[in-house]
Amino acid sequence: MYMCVVTLTRWFPESARWLILNDKADVALKQLRRVAKMNGKEEEGKKLTVEILKSNMESEQLVINNRRSVFDLFRTPVMRKIACCTMLVWFSTSFAYYGLAIDLQGFGVDIYLIQLIFGAVDIPAKLLAFLFMSLIGRRFTQATSLIMAGSFNLVNIFVPKEMQSLRTLFAALGKGCLSAAFSCCYLFSGELYPTVVRQTGMGLVSTMARVGSMLAPIVRMSGDYLSFLPMTIYGGMAIIAGIAAFLLPETRNTPLPETIEETENRTIKDAEKAKDSKRADVALQETYLSLMKQTV
C-alpha cells in the first residue's frame, strides 16, 4: 500500500508557486492553463504569460530571501498577541478534548455505547461549526465553542453520579463543542498568520496541542485525590482559552496577510476604525440627549 501511494505521487503536480520560485515558470504556466481549462476559464488561462507570473512573484521572492524564524512571531505586538492567544487556544482545546476522551469509564455508562455517542456527536458539531464560521465568523465560533465546552464540563461536576443519562448528555455536548473548536482552530490560525511565517506559526500551535494532549492524562490522575479537580481544570482552561480567542482579529471575508507588517498595519487600522465608530456613537447619543432636553 505504501509503495502504491509513493508511486501515485509521481503524477501529482508541483505547486505553481514553487515552480516559479525555482525558475520553472514555463512548467507552472502549463499547469495553470490546464487548471484554468478544467475550471471553465480557458480564455483567462490563455492571457497568462511567463512574464506576468514572474512579476507577480517578485515580492514573494524577496520575502523568501529574508528567512524568518519562530522568534519573528514574538517581535511585534500584534504578532505576539496572535501567537500567545492561538497557542493557548490550541493547547486548551487539545487538553480538554483528550482529558474528556480518556475518562469514558467515569460516566457509568457502557464504554462501547459512550464511544458511539462521542463519535456520532462529532458530525453535527463539525457541520454547525462550518455554518457558524461561514455565516458569523471564525472568532465567534472559536471562542463560543470553547466557552460552551468548558461550561458543560464544569456543570457536569455538580450532576450526581446516579444521573448517568444527564452526565452523558453534558459530556457529549462538551465533546461536540471541542470538536467544533478543533475544526475552527485549523482554519482560523491559518488565516491569522501571514504567509511568511504561516508554516512556522502552525507548527508552533500544533506543538502546543501535542503538549496539551500529553498533560491531559497527568491531570486526570489528580482525580484520585479530589474527584472534581480534573473536570474543573479541563473546563477552566477551555473557558480561559475561549475568552482569549475574543482578543484575536476576525478573518472572515478578509484577504490573507502576506507579511508581518501587513498584519500589524491591518490590526492598527481596525482598532482605529473601532475607536472612530465608538466616538460617532457617543456623539450621536450626546446629540440625542441634548435634543431631548431642548424638547422638555
Side-chain angles (χ1 to χ4, degrees):
M1 186 65 182
Y2 176 77
M3 292 300 297
C4 181
V5 173
V6 172
T7 304
L8 289 174
T9 57
R10 293 172 58 88
W11 285 274
F12 289 172
E14 286 286 357
S15 165
R17 177 177 296 181
W18 183 87
L19 290 170
I20 297 169
L21 294 175
N22 287 273
D23 297 325
K24 297 181 180 180
D26 52 340
V27 180
L29 181 61
K30 291 179 181 179
Q31 290 190 4
L32 291 173
R33 285 178 174 173
R34 182 161 60 90
V35 172
K37 185 177 180 180
M38 292 171 60
N39 292 330
K41 304 287 185 180
E42 188 172 359
E43 292 300 324
E44 288 79 358
K46 290 180 180 179
K47 295 177 183 178
L48 290 175
T49 62
V50 173
E51 290 73 19
I52 292 175
L53 296 180
K54 288 184 176 181
S55 63
N56 288 335
M57 296 298 293
E58 283 180 359
S59 59
E60 189 157 345
Q61 183 67 60
L62 292 174
V63 168
I64 289 177
N65 290 336
N66 298 323
R67 295 186 178 275
R68 300 285 183 172
S69 68
V70 68
F71 299 107
D72 291 299
L73 299 175
F74 301 95
R75 287 199 174 109
T76 55
V78 175
M79 283 305 307
R80 190 182 306 119
K81 182 174 75 171
I82 290 174
C84 292
C85 289
T86 51
M87 286 167 63
L88 178 59
V89 166
W90 279 71
F91 172 84
S92 300
T93 303
S94 180
F95 179 67
Y97 184 93
Y98 288 103
L100 190 61
I102 62 178
D103 194 26
L104 297 181
Q105 294 178 339
F107 298 103
V109 182
D110 181 74
I111 189 170
Y112 299 106
L113 176 60
I114 199 167
Q115 279 183 335
L116 177 63
I117 295 172
F118 272 26
V121 77
D122 282 2
I123 299 173
K126 291 182 181 297
L127 290 175
L128 286 173
F130 172 76
L131 289 176
F132 277 104
M133 283 189 292
S134 302
L135 299 177
I136 300 178
R138 281 71 157 137
R139 179 175 58 185
F140 175 84
T141 306
Q142 184 75 80
T144 305
S145 58
L146 282 169
I147 292 174
M148 289 179 64
S151 300
F152 283 126
N153 281 352
L154 293 179
V155 168
N156 231 356
I157 297 172
F158 303 100
V159 179
K161 291 187 177 181
E162 294 76 20
M163 303 177 67
Q164 297 177 356
S165 300
L166 187 59
R167 286 174 56 82
T168 303
L169 174 63
F170 283 144
L173 291 173
K175 169 70 161 45
C177 290
L178 289 170
S179 297
F182 250 131
S183 299
C184 189
C185 277
Y186 289 94
L187 179 62
F188 193 27
S189 299
E191 292 176 343
L192 284 170
Y193 287 105
T195 302
V196 292
V197 290
R198 183 166 294 125
Q199 294 304 317
T200 303
M202 293 301 291
L204 178 64
V205 295
S206 297
T207 302
M208 292 304 299
R210 303 298 181 271
V211 173
S213 63
M214 289 187 292
L215 290 179
I218 300 175
V219 173
R220 175 66 187 85
M221 290 188 293
S222 66
D224 297 337
Y225 305 97
L226 293 172
S227 59
F228 62 87
L229 190 57
M231 281 299 175
T232 303
I233 298 174
Y234 297 144
M237 286 299 301
I239 292 174
I240 292 172
I243 295 171
F246 275 119
L247 302 176
L248 294 168
E250 178 57 59
T251 59
R252 175 174 170 264
N253 295 331
T254 58
L256 294 177
E258 296 292 337
T259 63
I260 293 176
E261 292 76 16
E262 184 180 344
T263 303
E264 296 285 328
N265 295 333
R266 180 184 297 179
T267 305
I268 293 171
K269 289 179 181 178
D270 291 342
E272 291 176 352
K273 287 181 181 178
K275 287 182 181 178
D276 293 340
S277 178
K278 189 175 182 179
R279 288 171 186 166
D281 291 340
V282 172
L284 184 62
Q285 290 177 1
E286 291 176 350
T287 305
Y288 176 76
L289 291 174
S290 62
L291 290 173
M292 290 294 292
K293 289 179 181 179
Q294 292 176 6
T295 304
V296 174

